[in-house]
C-alpha cells in the first residue's frame, strides 16, 4: 500500500509541476494511473481538454523509493541519473545562513 500511495502521489505532483501550476491545482480535478499493473499516465483531467497522450509519465521504483517524471513532449528522451548519499554525507550538510535562498554546503567539520 505504501508504494501504491507514493506512485499516486509522485504522479500527481509531477503532473502539476509539468503544467507549471503546482499545488494551486486541485488534486481532485485529475487522476493518474497508479494501479500495480497500469503503466504510469494521466487518466483524466476535468479542467483541460488536452489529450492524456500529450503527457509522458516515467516512473522509477525500487524497494523504498518512487520517482515520477512527466514530460510535456512525449517523444523527448531523457536518461535520469540517480545518486546515493551516505548518512554521514547528509548529516554533513548545513544551510548557508546569509544566502537569499537556502543553499546547502558541506560543513567545515566534514572535511
Amino acid at each position: 500500500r505504501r508504494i501504491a500511495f507514493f506512485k499516486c502521489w509522485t504522479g500527481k505532483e509531477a503532473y502539476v509541476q509539468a503544467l507549471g501550476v503546482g499545488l494551486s491545482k486541485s488534486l481532485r480535478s485529475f487522476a493518474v494511473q497508479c494501479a500495480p499493473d497500469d503503466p504510469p499516465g494521466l487518466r483524466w483531467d476535468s479542467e483541460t481538454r488536452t489529450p492524456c497522450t500529450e503527457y509522458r509519465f516515467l516512473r522509477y521504483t525500487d524497494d523504498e523509493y518512487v520517482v515520477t517524471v512527466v514530460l510535456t513532449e512525449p517523444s523527448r528522451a531523457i536518461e535520469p541519473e540517480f545518486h546515493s548519499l551516505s548518512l554521514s554525507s547528509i548529516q554533513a550538510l548545513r544551510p548557508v545562513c546569509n544566502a537569499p535562498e537556502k543553499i546547502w554546503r558541506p560543513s567545515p567539520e566534514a572535511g
Side-chain angles (χ1 to χ4, degrees), residues 18-83:
L19 293 178
V21 296
L23 293 176
S24 65
K25 181 174 179 61
S26 169
L27 296 178
R28 293 178 184 214
S29 69
F30 66 98
V32 297
Q33 297 177 169
C34 46
D37 296 333
D38 284 346
L42 180 66
R43 285 194 184 278
W44 52 265
D45 185 333
S46 64
E47 297 175 347
T48 182
R49 293 200 156 133
T50 305
C52 294
T53 55
E54 290 297 311
Y55 303 99
R56 182 170 163 216
F57 283 62
L58 304 172
R59 184 183 299 140
Y60 305 93
T61 62
D62 66 12
D63 292 338
E64 295 184 63
Y65 301 100
V66 177
V67 175
T68 304
V69 177
V70 174
L71 302 175
T72 55
E73 299 173 34
S75 60
R76 185 172 169 217
I78 65 166
E79 276 300 319
E81 284 187 33
F82 296 95
H83 303 275

Side-chain angles (χ1 to χ4, degrees), residues 65 82-93 104:
Y65 301 100
F82 296 95
H83 303 275
S84 295
L85 295 175
S86 67
L87 181 57
S88 61
S89 66
I90 293 170
Q91 290 171 336
L93 294 175
W104 293 86

